[in-house]
Amino acid sequence: GPTVTDFGLRLLNGTMEPDKNSLISPLSVITALSMTANGADGETLRQMEAVLGGDMDLLNPMLKALRDGLGNEAVMANSIWIKDTPTLAVKDSFLQANADWYGAGVFREPFDDTTLNKINRWVEENTDGQIKDILDRIDPDAMMYLVNGLSFDAKWESPYEGHQVFDRSFTTENGEKRTISMMYSEEGQYLETEKASGFLKYYEGRRYAFAALLPEEGTTVAELVSSLDGTILREVLT
């Protein structure tokens, strides 16, 4: 919904760096933060809800419905890893909320090298092998890890063929020209905003589509992102 879309745009806007590409998964981030918020209270909870764009009574069922509707192309898995020590008591209500709304498995571990391997293998298995080592060490002060795994695997409805790939000159945002391989195709879903134009290219089954937006000449990517919000972008995409 607009809540997740708006959060994603704000996240992208806040994480972009000059002259660098940005790749983020807003659904993973809002899921992980919402799971964490189920253990928050008072001012901390109010601030988290303000950032997430809704209270937990809205976010929990909304994100559960979103996860349940992902389909075969996208798989999300969540887990909570707790240091097995008598000095840490975790409320059952926190664990139950994350099990009910996010399907989170709970693991109590010694937080040694065996735990490191278990977490990394869990992530690898739940991202279809795309992420192999999410951690390189267990922090000695760590008491809990909350892990989200999200993978997407789909084929184009109309795959690109070899004769549709050409080497062409590409101009970067700072005016530098590079020769790169570009894919060419005719698409029927045209997108337009005040500062950009683009297209939708569907994946097989049409549950998902790739959306591309190219800023108009003279507009930077940062300016384009800052001009959008969740409502505007959803109107453009639908």
Side-chain angles (χ1 to χ4, degrees), residues 156-219:
W156 294 118
E157 182 180 61
S158 300
Y160 288 98
E161 304 293 343
H163 65 271
Q164 293 173 289
V165 181
F166 304 93
D167 287 340
R168 292 288 186 269
S169 177
F170 177 82
T171 304
T172 65
E173 195 171 83
N174 63 14
E176 178 186 350
K177 292 186 180 296
R178 300 177 183 174
T179 299
I180 63 171
S181 295
M182 296 189 185
M183 296 179 290
Y184 285 80
S185 62
E186 293 184 3
E187 305 299 335
Q189 299 289 322
Y190 178 72
L191 307 177
E192 187 174 26
T193 76
E194 290 185 358
K195 295 180 179 294
S197 59
F199 65 91
L200 280 181
K201 183 176 179 64
Y202 282 98
Y203 292 101
E204 199 172 65
R206 291 200 159 220
R207 178 189 290 268
Y208 292 98
F210 175 84
L213 285 173
L214 178 69
E216 64 183 12
E217 191 171 355
T219 299

Side-chain angles (χ1 to χ4, degrees), residues 77-146:
N78 301 301
S79 60
I80 299 172
W81 302 76
I82 302 169
K83 187 171 186 177
D84 191 7
T85 170
T87 59
L88 177 62
V90 181
K91 288 186 176 181
D92 289 340
S93 58
F94 167 73
L95 300 177
Q96 193 63 55
N98 281 304
D100 291 344
W101 296 114
Y102 300 91
V106 177
F107 305 91
R108 295 184 184 274
E109 294 287 337
F111 275 31
D112 54 15
D113 286 343
T114 64
T115 306
L116 176 68
N117 291 331
K118 285 182 179 180
I119 293 176
N120 283 332
R121 296 295 77 74
W122 183 92
V123 171
E124 181 178 3
E125 290 171 3
N126 286 280
T127 58
D128 199 25
Q130 296 180 56
I131 301 175
K132 297 186 182 300
D133 295 303
I134 196 169
L135 293 177
D136 57 7
R137 62 188 285 267
I138 297 285
D139 192 297
D141 296 324
M143 300 298 282
M144 181 184 298
Y145 282 99
L146 192 155

